[in-house]
Amino acid sequence: MDSWEKRANTAQVVLLWVCLLSLTVLALFVVGCVSDAKEATEFSMKLAGFEGLNATLGHTLCPVFHLKMHAENPRLLQPLCYNGGEVVVSYSDIALAWGHVARFCLQKSVPKEFLVSPWGRGVGMPDELLGRLTSDWHKREAEITVQMKVFYDDKVWSSSSGKYNGAILRHYLRS
């Protein structure tokens, strides 16, 4: 094999590697831009505080929960915006507090934390359930269920009507 053939083979190998690298970069770009990362967004929450679960005031409660939300955008190249959402806090399938999640945007690969404070006014509780809640709360073992639904729009930074993305978060918090 002469030097001309060696150079031609080397050029072909280099061109092949450049093509493969270009295809890999293109695939990452398409996945980052086109894929629906909304369902892959990771949410978590912690109980930051609460008020109004004093069952000695009668059969009605007026609780307020302060939830610290954490969200991460899995997209590599674009921000991701949500048109807000709804959150419900319940105990034994009875809604204790509810509220709205404000519109928010997540920058690419930058986690975001924000507070959500759902509240209930005059929540009626049956005697048996109220007694169990009081007992659980004094033992600091009350299991509270938090469900959050978020809404999004297809256009980033748009305020058009959003679509429900189907994600329901269930998280059990201990007092």
Side-chain angles (χ1 to χ4, degrees), residues 32-76:
C33 290
V34 177
S35 72
D36 194 6
K38 294 167 186 78
E39 280 120 25
T41 303
E42 293 184 23
F43 291 94
S44 62
M45 62 186 86
K46 292 182 181 178
L47 181 62
F50 59 89
E51 305 165 30
L53 280 176
N54 186 352
T56 60
L57 298 177
H59 294 282
T60 59
L61 303 173
C62 296
V64 177
F65 294 89
H66 305 289
L67 305 172
K68 187 175 188 178
M69 309 299 293
H70 178 88
E72 293 190 33
N73 178 1
R75 288 184 174 184
L76 298 174

Side-chain angles (χ1 to χ4, degrees), residues 9 11 15 31 35 78 91 93-94 101 111 124 127 140 152-153:
N9 285 341
L15 184 59
V31 166
S35 72
Q78 289 182 313
Y91 176 77
D93 296 327
I94 292 184
V101 177
D127 288 338
R140 303 191 60 77
Y152 65 85
D153 32 41

Side-chain angles (χ1 to χ4, degrees), residues 9 16 45 47 52 55-56 103 109 136 143-144 149 159 174:
N9 285 341
L16 178 65
M45 62 186 86
L47 181 62
T56 60
R103 176 179 168 75
S109 302
D136 286 351
E143 281 193 351
I144 303 297
K149 298 178 184 179
S159 61
R174 298 210 179 260

Side-chain angles (χ1 to χ4, degrees), residues 12-13 26 28 34 40 67 69 76-77 90 119-120 126 143 145 153-154 158 163 167 172:
Q12 287 176 344
V13 169
L26 179 64
L28 287 173
V34 177
L67 305 172
M69 309 299 293
L76 298 174
L77 303 171
S90 58
W119 59 281
E143 281 193 351
T145 304
D153 32 41
D154 292 331
S158 167
K163 297 179 183 175
Y172 297 93

